[in-house]
């Protein structure tokens, strides 16, 4: 009779109540998924801000580079503190260009290869900086559903053990344990779906920005090579 009376009592299905009633293992899984979700969103917001700033810096430098002003003047103005990736690529190439000239004006042999290598190193460094943190999103997106599923399986196991001990299969007794177990799967999906979506978007944005730096490097190298040939 006591068991039937307890089953008839209204059950609190709020998220906090489900968490408090869950077993220790399920609680650990839920906490891990919540932390992973917060970490993912922090990475997403940080990368969105970084990429937006990179696009603004690239557009501003592109306007300055193609404005017709002498490249030496542009280099003198930004070489000390380049503010963006495009400026760092330009500074690397222009700095090597200047170092490749002797005092009397002659060009040191293999200047073209050194200029290309100097800009390639900076481009590779910028590509690494753009992709930094995206591995976290891929990891959360691929593992969070399985972590949540583990919590669900463990919670259902605990629920069935409780049913066996109480020897009561009424839905009012079974439902709370199942709800607690399914909370882990829901949180796993809640962490994984945004991580996968933004991983794909941010990866495409990083590739697009890196491609722009490589294109500029090629254009600038061609321009300097033309001047070397004419000289």
């Amino acid at each position: 009779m006591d068991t039937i009376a307890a089953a008839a009592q209204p059950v609190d299905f709020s998220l906090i109540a489900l968490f408090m009633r869950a077993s220790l293992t399920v609680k650990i899984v839920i906490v891990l998924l919540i932390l992973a979700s917060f970490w993912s969103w922090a990475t997403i917001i940080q990368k969105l801000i970084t990429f937006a700033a990179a696009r603004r810096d690239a557009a501003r430098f592109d306007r300055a580079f193609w404005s017709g002003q002498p490249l030496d003047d542009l280099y003198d103005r930004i070489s000390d503190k380049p503010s963006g990736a495009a400026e760092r690529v330009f500074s690397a190439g222009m700095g090597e260009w200047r170092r490749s000239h002797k005092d009397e004006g002659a060009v040191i042999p293999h200047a073209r290869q050194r200029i290309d290598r100097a800009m390639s190193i900076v481009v590779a460094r910028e590509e690494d900086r753009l992709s930094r943190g995206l591995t976290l999103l891929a990891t959360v997106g691929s593992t969070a559903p399985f972590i949540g599923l583990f919590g669900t399986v463990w919670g259902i196991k605990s629920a069935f053990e409780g049913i066996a001990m109480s020897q009561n299969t009424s839905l009012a007794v079974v439902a709370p344990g199942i709800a607690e177990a399914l909370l882990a799967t829901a949180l796993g999906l809640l962490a994984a779906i945004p991580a996968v979506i933004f991983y794909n978007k941010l990866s495409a944005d990083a590739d697009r920005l890196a491609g722009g730096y490589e294109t500029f490097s090629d254009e600038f190298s061609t321009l300097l090579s033309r001047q070397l040939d004419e000289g």
Side-chain angles (χ1 to χ4, degrees), residues 10-18 21 171-172 174-180:
V11 180
D12 187 0
F13 284 98
S14 65
L15 295 179
I16 295 178
L18 291 175
R21 288 199 303 265
L171 185 59
V174 175
I178 301 298
E180 295 157 17

Side-chain angles (χ1 to χ4, degrees), residues 26 29 145-158 177-178 180-186:
V26 177
V29 168
F146 296 103
I147 296 174
L149 183 60
F150 168 76
T152 295
V153 172
W154 192 272
I156 290 176
K157 181 184 78 70
S158 300
I178 301 298
E180 295 157 17
L182 292 176
L183 176 62
T185 294

Side-chain angles (χ1 to χ4, degrees), residues 120-191:
S120 297
I121 291 172
V122 177
V123 169
R125 191 178 300 130
E126 294 301 327
E127 289 177 350
D128 179 70
R129 186 180 64 86
L130 290 172
S131 62
R132 197 174 301 151
L134 297 183
T135 305
L136 168 68
L137 297 181
T139 302
V140 172
S142 60
T143 61
F146 296 103
I147 296 174
L149 183 60
F150 168 76
T152 295
V153 172
W154 192 272
I156 290 176
K157 181 184 78 70
S158 300
F160 280 126
E161 289 174 353
I163 292 170
M165 293 177 62
S166 65
Q167 296 182 350
N168 188 344
T169 58
S170 125
L171 185 59
V173 174
V174 175
I178 301 298
E180 295 157 17
L182 292 176
L183 176 62
T185 294
L187 290 175
L189 295 174
L190 190 64

Side-chain angles (χ1 to χ4, degrees), residues 76-88:
D76 292 336
R77 181 164 55 85
I78 69 174
S79 59
D80 291 337
K81 292 183 179 180
S83 61
E87 291 187 0
R88 286 189 284 271

